[in-house]
Amino acid sequence: MTSSDMNSNLNRLRSMALGSSSKQSDPHQQQPRASQETLNARLKLRRTPNEEHEPEHYEDLQLDFNPSLFRSLERFLPENLLSSTRIEKARAMSDLLLRYSPESERIRVQKHREYRQNILSSYQRLHEELYTLDPVSFFVPSFLDAVSNTSEENFKSIIGRAAPGIYTFDMLKPQFCQMLIAEVENMEKWFHYSKSSMMRPTTINKFGVVLDDFGLDGMLQKLLGDFISPISQVLFPEVCGTGLDSHHGYAIEYGKYRDTDLGFHVDDSEVTLNVCLGNQFSGGELYFRGVRCDNHVNSEIKENYDYSQVPGQAVLHHGRHRHGARAITAGRLVNLVMWCRSSTFREAKRYQKDFSSWCGGCKLEKHNRQQAAIKATVEVLKRRGADKTHVEH
């Protein structure tokens, strides 16, 4: 679900729930997700948000909707529900979202829920140790040392600024990379032998695995919260809000009988982590062409940077940085990708029009406005000077 869809659904939900405040649920209908008292309360949303209320974080829960939607909706909950536990609030909001979502969305959510349940109940993990974050086993010593003391100096001691908004650093141990590649292969085999169809990571990928669907979401969320979010708040403060709080994690594969390249695009993220896992390969360079907001995503290209991938090395970049991957010419390449999102930034973004702090297009327009204003001021001063000279003579 995109951020615009999320905001649209939130507005629709508020309107429909407010209009349903006098209705009662069918007492004979089974409500497995929330108690009757909670269901009655959820039909009486506030007309205006409680700005003084600090919403809970829901990123660690198994939810059918984006956690940032829950944080936005929570401020509209009635007072008696705000004092409930986080789980009770999540259940009430989940029920509300499902009840008032379009039928197509309800069907999508239900299918995805069944899809994940089928995987989690049947898939036999190859490397169980991958599913719990172990920094010592996963990370190279230089990365672990730098993040052990979360200071800007420590981060920058290992991070190279390859180009504006693009940072690279050694991150994952070879053993971890090989285990994750083997786990991805095992996932692909499981789908093949189970004769199931796999949901791919993005709309432009024909191959690859959504790691969250296989139970790696908890490990990746901890990776985000303990490591990537603190680093990103130093490197990308303009888009991190109060922190990166949700993610979409997947592995993407390039090679023979796989995707050979990746088209020019932007990510649905505030910050993207892309780590090359290996194996032996040629080609597959990443290319970057400037950070742009929605209004300028198709604007002129002035920035150019190409990056040759190295196993175990991470690239951290702005999610709105236009990029792609060149064709792989030999071998097989596997990448771990995590789209990192900030619910607070997405909420604030709804009320912004100028993104010149990070968008190259907005920055250029602002510069042009400033230059035009300076030019106009100079012309006015010249005319005043000329008029004053004329009067004196």
Side-chain angles (χ1 to χ4, degrees):
M1 182 185 294
T2 65
S3 57
S4 59
D5 292 337
M6 184 179 72
N7 295 331
S8 160
N9 281 346
L10 180 57
N11 292 331
R12 186 192 312 113
L13 289 165
R14 286 207 306 266
S15 300
M16 295 179 73
L18 286 167
S20 305
S21 60
S22 62
K23 296 179 181 179
Q24 299 294 322
S25 301
D26 180 354
H28 301 293
Q29 183 178 358
Q30 185 179 8
Q31 300 289 345
R33 297 183 62 84
S35 67
Q36 187 65 42
E37 180 180 357
T38 301
L39 291 174
N40 290 339
R42 62 119 176 90
L43 293 176
K44 301 176 183 178
L45 292 180
R46 297 169 56 95
R47 292 186 179 276
T48 57
N50 182 345
E51 299 294 351
E52 297 180 355
H53 175 71
E54 181 61 29
E56 304 268 12
H57 288 275
Y58 296 93
E59 291 74 24
D60 60 321
L61 300 181
Q62 293 288 339
L63 302 170
D64 295 320
F65 298 90
N66 192 310
S68 59
L69 182 56
F70 285 75
R71 285 180 58 82
S72 298
L73 184 58
E74 184 178 330
R75 283 197 169 101
F76 290 89
L77 295 178
E79 292 298 326
N80 61 324
L81 193 51
L82 285 179
S83 60
S84 301
T85 67
R86 185 175 67 129
I87 298 300
E88 288 174 339
K89 286 185 285 189
R91 285 173 178 168
M93 288 187 286
S94 292
D95 179 83
L96 178 68
L97 291 165
L98 285 171
R99 188 174 292 259
Y100 292 116
S101 291
E103 183 178 3
S104 59
E105 178 65 11
R106 292 199 299 273
I107 293 172
R108 184 198 68 79
V109 167
Q110 181 61 29
K111 284 185 176 180
H112 189 240
R113 183 188 299 156
E114 293 171 353
Y115 171 81
R116 289 194 66 168
Q117 288 174 345
N118 178 50
I119 294 173
L120 296 175
S121 64
S122 306
Y123 176 68
Q124 297 295 314
R125 297 173 178 179
L126 182 64
H127 294 293
E128 185 66 37
E129 58 267 41
L130 291 175
Y131 292 78
T132 302
L133 183 65
D134 180 3
V136 175
S137 300
F138 289 12
F139 303 137
V140 296
S142 60
F143 178 79
L144 200 54
D145 291 343
V147 298
S148 61
N149 182 2
T150 54
S151 68
E152 185 170 348
E153 294 74 20
N154 274 32
F155 292 155
K156 291 186 175 179
S157 69
I158 64 156
I159 293 174
R161 186 174 182 266
I166 305 170
Y167 300 89
T168 63
F169 49 93
D170 293 330
M171 182 179 179
L172 298 178
K173 287 184 174 181
Q175 183 181 4
F176 173 85
C177 293
Q178 292 306 310
M179 282 198 301
L180 187 53
I181 289 175
E183 192 74 33
V184 170
E185 291 174 347
N186 194 52
M187 294 171 181
E188 294 273 12
K189 289 178 181 176
W190 180 84
F191 262 101
H192 174 75
Y193 289 117
S194 66
K195 302 187 184 303
S196 303
S197 59
M198 182 183 291
M199 292 185 180
R200 297 302 178 180
T202 73
T203 56
I204 60 176
N205 294 120
K206 295 180 181 178
F207 296 90
V209 176
V210 179
L211 300 175
D212 297 325
D213 289 338
F214 282 82
L216 281 161
D217 48 333
M219 183 274 283
L220 293 175
Q221 187 62 32
K222 190 166 180 59
L223 170 63
L224 173 67
D226 292 355
F227 298 96
I228 304 306
S229 182
I231 294 174
S232 298
Q233 286 178 277
V234 172
L235 302 178
F236 305 97
E238 69 278 4
V239 296
C240 285
T242 57
L244 300 171
D245 49 27
S246 65
H247 75 273
H248 172 56
Y250 59 93
I252 186 172
E253 303 171 86
Y254 302 94
K256 191 175 182 179
Y257 308 120
R258 295 286 188 272
D259 291 318
T260 56
D261 59 8
L262 188 62
F264 195 49
H265 67 286
V266 294
D267 297 335
D268 182 14
S269 67
E270 275 61 75
V271 176
T272 294
L273 173 72
N274 188 339
V275 190
C276 174
L277 301 177
N279 282 337
Q280 300 294 323
F281 62 92
S282 298
E285 298 86 358
L286 300 177
Y287 58 91
F288 295 87
R289 299 296 182 262
V291 182
R292 296 292 187 275
C293 67
D294 291 339
N295 293 332
H296 297 105
V297 69
N298 295 315
S299 64
E300 182 182 0
I301 295 174
K302 294 186 177 181
E303 307 94 325
N304 290 277
Y305 174 70
D306 288 11
Y307 166 76
S308 296
Q309 303 197 62
V310 178
Q313 191 171 88
V315 179
L316 198 65
H317 64 84
H318 196 298
R320 299 294 306 182
H321 209 132
R322 300 177 296 182
H323 64 286
R326 301 193 187 285
I328 187 170
T329 55
R332 176 170 174 248
L333 171 61
V334 183
N335 286 66
L336 166 64
V337 180
M338 186 161 66
W339 289 355
C340 311
R341 296 159 174 161
S342 168
S343 57
T344 52
F345 172 76
R346 294 193 172 205
E347 181 67 17
K349 186 180 175 184
R350 295 171 54 199
Y351 306 100
Q352 289 181 284
K353 293 182 179 179
D354 174 51
F355 302 103
S356 55
S357 63
W358 53 267
C359 170
C362 289
K363 190 177 297 183
L364 178 62
E365 288 181 353
K366 184 177 182 178
H367 173 76
N368 291 341
R369 289 194 302 269
Q370 291 173 337
Q371 291 300 307
I374 292 171
K375 183 177 180 181
T377 301
V378 169
E379 292 297 324
V380 169
L381 293 175
K382 284 182 178 179
R383 286 198 300 270
R384 288 179 179 175
D387 291 343
K388 183 178 180 180
T389 302
H390 177 72
V391 170
E392 290 175 349
H393 289 82

